[in-house]
Amino acid sequence: MTDMNHVFLIGRLTRDIGADERSFAYVGNSQLARANISIAVNRSKKENDQWVDDVSYFDVTIWGKTAENLRQYLLKGKQIAVDGYLKQDRWQKDGQNFSKIVVVANSVQLLGGKSESSQMAGGAPRFQPKAEYSAPDVPVQDSGFPEDIPF
């Protein structure tokens, strides 16, 4: 049986990208871009008779052109979808072993932000179809059923 390691998360960024050297950098001889972000994923759960928010925070690493292209849009509060896999980083410091689980993004999609109507607040440009676009002509076939259905 094959093992599987796949994660899909939707959450909001906890800080602006590029706020410090650790959040965005070029690494290695090839100057590969790396963005380290953190997202907050909210979940509601019922405790007694009240609904309360349960927040989980996840560290996400975005590599390459995806990191470069999204850099200007990754602002605190922006909602994103991350599709990727879990990776365990391990290191040793002063004789002690440490580990941390991070999500490595295969793809990232911008979903929304704090002010969805304003592109100045870091929103991604919205797709606007061309005005001259029209659906192709598809012949309508008579199904033999009357248009007025009695229910």
Side-chain angles (χ1 to χ4, degrees), residues 65-84:
K65 288 289 186 187
T66 304
E68 288 180 26
N69 293 336
L70 291 176
R71 184 177 186 182
Q72 63 182 328
Y73 301 114
L74 296 178
L75 301 173
K76 183 177 180 176
K78 184 76 175 163
Q79 188 180 41
I80 64 171
V82 176
D83 187 6

Side-chain angles (χ1 to χ4, degrees), residues 32-112:
L32 183 66
R34 181 194 69 216
N36 291 325
I37 62 172
S38 178
I39 61 172
V41 178
N42 293 310
R43 202 177 129 228
S44 293
K45 64 180 184 177
K46 195 166 189 172
E47 286 185 3
N48 300 324
D49 290 336
Q50 294 184 7
W51 286 95
V52 294
D53 285 335
D54 182 26
V55 182
S56 297
Y57 297 93
F58 298 96
D59 292 326
V60 179
T61 302
I62 308 168
W63 289 98
K65 288 289 186 187
T66 304
E68 288 180 26
N69 293 336
L70 291 176
R71 184 177 186 182
Q72 63 182 328
Y73 301 114
L74 296 178
L75 301 173
K76 183 177 180 176
K78 184 76 175 163
Q79 188 180 41
I80 64 171
V82 176
D83 187 6
Y85 61 93
L86 297 176
K87 181 177 183 278
Q88 183 178 22
D89 290 336
R90 296 178 189 172
W91 68 97
Q92 201 173 49
K93 183 178 179 181
D94 299 329
Q96 282 205 355
N97 293 328
F98 296 91
S99 73
K100 176 181 177 179
I101 303 288
V102 296
V103 176
V104 178
N106 290 328
S107 67
V108 177
Q109 184 176 5
L110 302 172
L111 298 178

Side-chain angles (χ1 to χ4, degrees), residues 110-132:
L110 302 172
L111 298 178
K114 291 188 291 187
S115 58
E116 312 248 345
S117 62
S118 171
Q119 290 185 12
M120 298 305 289
R126 295 183 183 266
F127 172 74
Q128 296 293 326
K130 291 183 177 181
E132 65 267 8

